[in-house]
Amino acid sequence: MTTIHFASGASLAAALPDLRTHLSSPRTRSAIAVQQAILQAAREYLTGEGFTELLTPIMGPVTDPGARGSKQVDIDYYGHRYKLMTSAILYKQASLLSFGKIFCIAPNVRLEPLETANTSRHLTEFHQLDVEIAGASREDAMEVAQGVVTHAVHRALDKAADHLDELGRSRDALAVWLDDPFVRITHRETVRRLHELGHAQDPETEIDWAGERLLSEGEKRPFFVTDYPKGSRGFYDRESAIEPGTLSNFDLIAPEGYGELGSGSEREFDYRRMVARMRETGENPAKYGWYLELVRGGIPSSSGFGIGVQRLTRYVAGLDAVWQTSMFPKLPGVVSA
Amino acid sequence: MSTLRADGFPETEIRLRAREGAAAAFPQGTDYGAALFGGGAAQRASADPLGLARLVPPVFMPQRLEKLVDLGREPLYSDVELATDIGGLRSPLPVYLSALGSTRAASAEVGEAASRQAGQLGLPMVLGENVVAHGGYGRTDGAPERSMLRRLRVYSEMLPEGLGGVAVQQSTEDADAEVWNLVYSDPSALHLLESGRLAFELKVGQGAKPGLGGMTLVDPSTAARLHQHYPLEPVHGTGGFLRSSSPGTYTEEILRQQIRLMRNNFPRAQVWVKLPPARDVAAAVALAWQAGADAVTVDGAEGGTGWAPNAFLNHVGLPLGECLLRIGRGGGALLASGRMWEGARCVKALALGCRAVGLGRAALLAADEDRADGLKRFVQCLALEMRLLISALGRYAPRDLKSEDVWLPHNLWSPAAPIGAAGEAERLP
């Protein structure tokens, strides 16, 4: 355990070991082996379903505005302010002008609030398995998300069983749900359950970290939370036409207390509605020049999702913290390799 | 004394208070018995209902009786308890330091002196939009004088435990700089965040120029640095450029969702919203409270440190008092700023429904008068004056004030029903 002291007098406890110890640890080797099985399975599944793998940019004049207070990384690009990608969302939507079904496994950087250093599931640098499907509904995207996760767990059990055993991961805990569809519950129902459990969840916001852990701990199989309220997500999550004020989106939550694996939605693609949504999320449309120009000219309707590779690895491998799945982990506020 | 000026503002009186503290609440001692008092001030008041209003103590004071019973002796002005919760931040009196802007008048030494003294007093402080855009954040470049980080540090150095806090503004243009994300994830602000003393203020509009975005005059070298981010116009030849921000577009849904997103993204920070003196201010205030804002500030159509066109200063925006009358009492935490410098205007605003008032130019002038203690003496005087006025009304805490404590010429009462009046029998005549 390392305690980081800031100039302001504040301090932060973080559990990063010495780098040599971490790199030569059998635990790290097994975690990466499980991750390799997951990545191979994801590519196998998605290419089998007709998806094209793309290499998306890692910097640009604008990126996913994100949520929950994480800061983007600015870089000086020949005197212009560029951003490192916080997610591939804008490029994924644009890429549908070339291909109808795409995926990428791309690095993301988000300077998360310091309080997330101790959630066991935040890294400031991580990879995301990003999928986007033209003309698809949210339900279509959820089917693909379930398919890819299920296939990945199958492959991990087949190909990395020794490593799961080495890590002490119960294979039965994974195998138990492989033939079942993921349960879906709405955000409203989730809030109701949390209130019943005595957790003071704000009904108009994201499920907070503690609430999410509480929900996750009570489940044995992954599940979807759908229909988040407007005001809790980025401008690209489409507002429901049937239920205004609700977004046609979802989170995929791992069981056993591991928490959120990823998020997805039906996307906004209508120019006028998108500009209004940008303002509703506090964004200045001026900086989204290239993107809005494409949207104005027309982009396909779509649905898609992003799953955190390290989070999925942590869940499958049954690890205490997500940093254990990264060779060179970066925790919020902590200086490391 | 520096060359800082505030034409048309009671600069002399403010500087006097900054030098003399509580003594400045009274006429010069040398005039006692030799001069008649009472003229002047009323004639100088503007068309603002707050200027024309009078505080009107009653003969019968049931709350004074309550206090008498409580104390077991006749209450005095010194028994008025001024400590107030201001949008989740605790203050020793119903006063906070308004955003001082990014212009030269508010920067460097004077702005820093005001920030330091506000911190020493435990007054909540608003850090203005554009500070990051103009002065930088200061994290990787040693916190230069005008940076956000320097302001934060200077304010926090001697901040008493449990008092004060910082509200960081962000406007539409600032969204590019992600000021809130930056502060929320910064180690320097962690102690404020963890002690519940960090607020974020959504700046919906400008007090001195409702309908426009922020404006400052910048020199050619600054203009060269900013040209990528802002429209610049050489209104003063090539020597001075007008730098304008876009005001940002709001509808009811946009404001509602922006507030909800603030709550979603920054669950540990207080949410403040700053509104211009717009004709639909009452509806906007009600919406902001309903969407979950911890405080809503109405900035009167007054001057500031920024640059406002004369046409706006003279002809645009509701007077602050009219805003307060339209909003009414009884809603959430309402804050007001605009020409606040002496106790009577502040107490009138409190009686009309405000939780607290913001010091802007007055704080700058006071800090300019004496960089070490000017604002502290000024606030000492203001606190005394507020205690005198509130006790004269038979009240012993700002929250006990009511609109019946204020008299206005009848033609100035707003015909509109105040929106915040639910549950309180204070419909204005």
Side-chain angles (χ1 to χ4, degrees), chain A residues 6 8 10 68-72 79 81 115 202 204-206 229-232 279-282 284 287, chain B residues 172-173 175-176 178 181-182 184-185 187 190 228 249-250 253-254 257-258 260-261 263-266 268:
Chain A
F6 298 110
S8 65
R68 294 206 191 187
S70 67
K71 170 79 181 72
Q72 299 169 6
R81 178 157 61 197
E115 61 190 353
D202 185 336
E204 293 184 338
T205 66
E206 286 264 13
K230 216 173 153 184
S232 65
R279 288 299 299 137
E280 288 170 11
T281 53
N284 183 1
K287 68 176 178 178
Chain B
T172 299
E173 293 281 1
D176 294 3
E178 295 185 278
N181 288 341
L182 189 56
Y184 201 70
S185 60
L190 193 61
Q228 266 187 46
T249 302
Y250 285 91
E253 184 66 357
I254 288 172
Q257 295 303 336
Q258 287 201 10
R260 287 173 60 175
L261 193 75
R263 286 170 49 202
N264 186 76
N265 289 4
F266 312 110
R268 298 171 77 196

Side-chain angles (χ1 to χ4, degrees), chain A residues 243-294:
Chain A
E243 200 179 340
T246 298
L247 301 171
S248 293
N249 61 0
F250 63 88
D251 269 5
L252 175 58
I253 317 283
E256 304 174 63
Y258 290 101
E260 184 195 332
L261 295 176
S263 300
S265 73
E266 196 173 318
R267 312 301 190 189
E268 188 51 77
F269 62 94
D270 176 83
Y271 172 76
R272 185 185 171 82
R273 282 199 301 262
M274 184 176 284
V275 170
R277 288 294 313 285
M278 280 184 170
R279 288 299 299 137
E280 288 170 11
T281 53
E283 290 298 308
N284 183 1
K287 68 176 178 178
Y288 291 87
W290 73 262
Y291 174 74
L292 279 177
E293 197 178 312
L294 284 185

